[in-house]
Amino acid sequence: MKKLISMMAVLFLVIAIILAGCGKADQTSSNSEDVSRKTADTTSSGKGASTLNAKDGAGKLLEIANQLKTELVGANGQKIKELGTQLEDTWSSFEDKVRPDYPLEYTSIEQYLVPLSAGLSISPLDQAALTKLNDSLIQAIQDLLNAINNQKVAQKADNQQLQAAMDQYKTYVLEQSASLVEETAAFVKAVLDGDIAKAKLLYGSSRIFYERIEPIAESFGDLDPKIDARENDVEPAEWTGFHVLEKALWVDGSLRNQEKYANQLLEDVKALHEQIKSVELKPAQVIAGAVELLNEAGTSKVTGEEERYSHLDLLDLAANVEGSKAAYDIIKASVQQQDAELVKKIDERFNQLQQLLDSFRQGDSFKVYTDLTQENTKSIGQAIESTAEALSQAAKIL
């Protein structure tokens, strides 16, 4: 849980979760005031560092979520906000111990905890929506505890077909990270040359390769915030990466004194590419990553949070979907053997989502976020949720 989301994003996310099966609510809009506190990142800031193992951490998280359930009934605003902080800090203290062995359960907890944590920082509190999110979180934590107690650790591929799929996906990820290095080098050169027009052009094209493999990057701890943190995601002195340069290009209109950020960005994407070479992938990690990419598209991208200065959010979102589809295509044959109807359903939803995104294309890119209507973003969010829901079913059978 690495990024802040704004009040607008919280409301959108609550709706997305509700549309996924919890009920219904109306969307309202607000300004982009950051209302979420900084999520503790144990790798970049050390905050929340803990010796909690996955089981003890999940037990503590469940205890806090159950306390929150009680306080939401009593509407004790101050206590509710305190528990929201405890949820974030507790999860941040042990989430890195969950992700490698229980990737599906990790993704499920993130799906509910991110909007819940952000929603708890808004005044007035939407008790009904928050209660539904918290109930879903409690179930997700219990699922994690069950997986731990039953030792349902993500396993390596147990047959040649799946192992071949893992090898194929790793090749895909390495191709994307190599292209990321190449495109970022061109972008950095434009920044160092002070060529604002060219840098703006290359900014978007370089980010595509990162967005296609973002869950892999996030698994390396501090590299993701160093490359992709947005303003206020980290302490000001720690803020580096793409979005520093995005702000310089689109807000400041100047690349003066940006050399150190540009050079650091290139070093960080090179480090990412090197670390990916040693990754050993498991089927559950790949399918969880595919779902996580859609969740990412449905949170920071469809809300306009990610590219808050350039408004190139749809370009990122489309790359998330492409990365998710690539992972799914690679494991599709294995899913087909066990549930042909599910494959048909997933294919249909990916096709519908892609057709919708294509309707917003403009040349080699997409409409900027500020040109989208509320109805546009709502339809995109619903299509993403529908696809993620179908894809998550595949995760259960591999």
Side-chain angles (χ1 to χ4, degrees):
M1 194 166 66
K2 311 297 185 188
K3 294 179 179 178
L4 294 169
I5 50 178
S6 72
M7 179 183 290
M8 184 175 69
V10 170
L11 292 167
F12 197 100
L13 288 168
V14 168
I15 290 169
I17 297 300
I18 288 171
L19 287 173
C22 297
K24 289 191 178 295
D26 294 329
Q27 181 179 10
T28 57
S29 63
S30 178
N31 58 41
S32 58
E33 174 192 5
D34 283 327
V35 293
S36 294
R37 59 183 298 280
K38 173 180 177 289
T39 55
D41 182 343
T42 58
T43 56
S44 63
S45 67
K47 185 175 181 179
S50 168
T51 57
L52 282 177
N53 59 39
K55 183 175 182 178
D56 291 345
K60 184 175 180 181
L61 197 66
L62 182 60
E63 179 183 335
I64 298 169
N66 279 323
Q67 289 178 26
L68 178 59
K69 183 180 180 72
T70 300
E71 295 298 339
L72 282 168
V73 174
N76 182 341
Q78 182 58 40
K79 184 63 177 177
I80 288 172
K81 291 181 184 298
E82 290 175 4
L83 290 169
T85 300
Q86 290 180 34
L87 278 176
E88 290 181 37
D89 288 347
T90 300
W91 177 238
S92 295
S93 72
F94 77 99
E95 64 173 302
D96 288 342
K97 297 173 183 175
V98 174
R99 190 170 193 157
D101 290 335
Y102 308 98
L104 300 175
E105 290 77 11
Y106 175 93
T107 300
S108 182
I109 288 177
E110 286 269 296
Q111 181 183 1
Y112 301 112
L113 183 54
V114 171
L116 175 64
S117 297
L120 290 171
S121 66
I122 294 176
S123 296
L125 296 171
D126 185 336
Q127 289 175 253
L130 293 172
T131 296
K132 289 171 181 174
L133 285 170
N134 192 52
D135 287 347
S136 296
L137 174 63
I138 288 172
Q139 182 59 57
I141 300 169
Q142 288 176 333
D143 290 343
L144 172 60
L145 279 169
N146 289 337
I148 294 171
N149 290 332
N150 293 315
Q151 299 182 327
K152 291 185 176 179
V153 177
Q155 300 294 317
K156 296 180 181 178
D158 59 0
N159 60 64
Q160 287 186 337
Q161 183 182 41
L162 266 181
Q163 185 54 56
M166 296 304 99
D167 294 342
Q168 185 181 351
Y169 185 65
K170 183 170 180 177
T171 298
Y172 169 80
V173 173
L174 279 170
E175 290 172 349
Q176 298 305 308
S177 64
S179 296
L180 172 65
V181 172
E182 182 178 349
E183 287 292 314
T184 302
F187 169 59
V188 165
K189 183 178 186 305
V191 171
L192 297 179
D193 290 345
D195 190 336
I196 291 179
K198 189 172 184 179
K200 280 187 171 181
L201 186 66
L202 293 171
Y203 171 83
S205 61
S206 57
R207 286 188 53 75
I208 287 172
F209 301 102
Y210 187 79
E211 295 294 340
R212 287 174 180 161
I213 58 171
E214 191 166 6
I216 298 292
E218 290 179 349
S219 69
F220 294 122
D222 63 348
L223 273 179
D224 176 59
K226 288 176 71 175
I227 294 171
D228 198 36
R230 297 163 311 188
E231 193 170 19
N232 302 328
D233 281 344
V234 294
E235 299 295 337
E238 298 176 355
W239 191 32
T240 60
F242 276 113
H243 295 300
V244 173
L245 299 170
E246 179 201 6
K247 186 176 183 181
L249 286 166
W250 272 273
V251 178
D252 302 335
S254 170
L255 292 171
R256 186 179 180 183
N257 298 326
Q258 299 302 310
E259 293 85 357
K260 67 175 183 179
Y261 297 108
N263 289 325
Q264 184 61 53
L265 174 62
L266 184 55
E267 290 304 309
D268 290 336
V269 297
K270 286 180 177 177
L272 175 64
H273 180 59
E274 290 302 312
Q275 292 199 34
I276 286 174
K277 292 178 180 177
S278 61
V279 165
E280 185 177 1
L281 294 167
K282 302 171 183 174
Q285 290 174 316
V286 174
I287 194 68
V291 175
E292 195 172 338
L293 275 167
L294 292 178
N295 289 340
E296 174 75 16
T299 54
S300 62
K301 307 315 185 331
V302 79
T303 57
E305 289 291 297
E306 185 75 17
E307 303 289 354
R308 61 184 67 167
Y309 310 119
S310 65
H311 305 301
L312 297 174
D313 302 274
L314 276 192
L315 190 65
D316 289 357
L317 188 152
N320 285 157
V321 173
E322 289 167 359
S324 178
K325 180 67 162 47
Y328 163 67
D329 283 341
I330 287 171
I331 53 94
K332 182 176 175 179
S334 296
V335 180
Q336 175 80 28
Q337 289 180 346
Q338 301 192 50
D339 194 334
E341 286 300 312
L342 179 57
V343 166
K344 182 180 178 181
K345 180 179 176 181
I346 296 172
D347 284 345
E348 288 176 349
R349 293 190 179 180
F350 263 121
N351 288 337
Q352 290 167 357
L353 174 56
Q354 191 59 57
Q355 288 175 11
L356 179 61
L357 292 178
D358 287 343
S359 69
F360 298 108
R361 283 193 181 276
Q362 286 189 336
D364 294 333
S365 187
F366 292 86
K367 282 186 175 180
V368 293
Y369 189 82
T370 47
D371 284 349
L372 300 178
T373 66
Q374 189 178 59
E375 190 60 33
N376 292 154
T377 55
K378 183 178 178 180
S379 62
I380 295 170
Q382 289 173 336
I384 291 171
E385 284 295 321
S386 176
T387 308
E389 184 275 331
L391 191 57
S392 65
Q393 295 178 39
K396 298 175 182 176
I397 63 176
L398 285 183

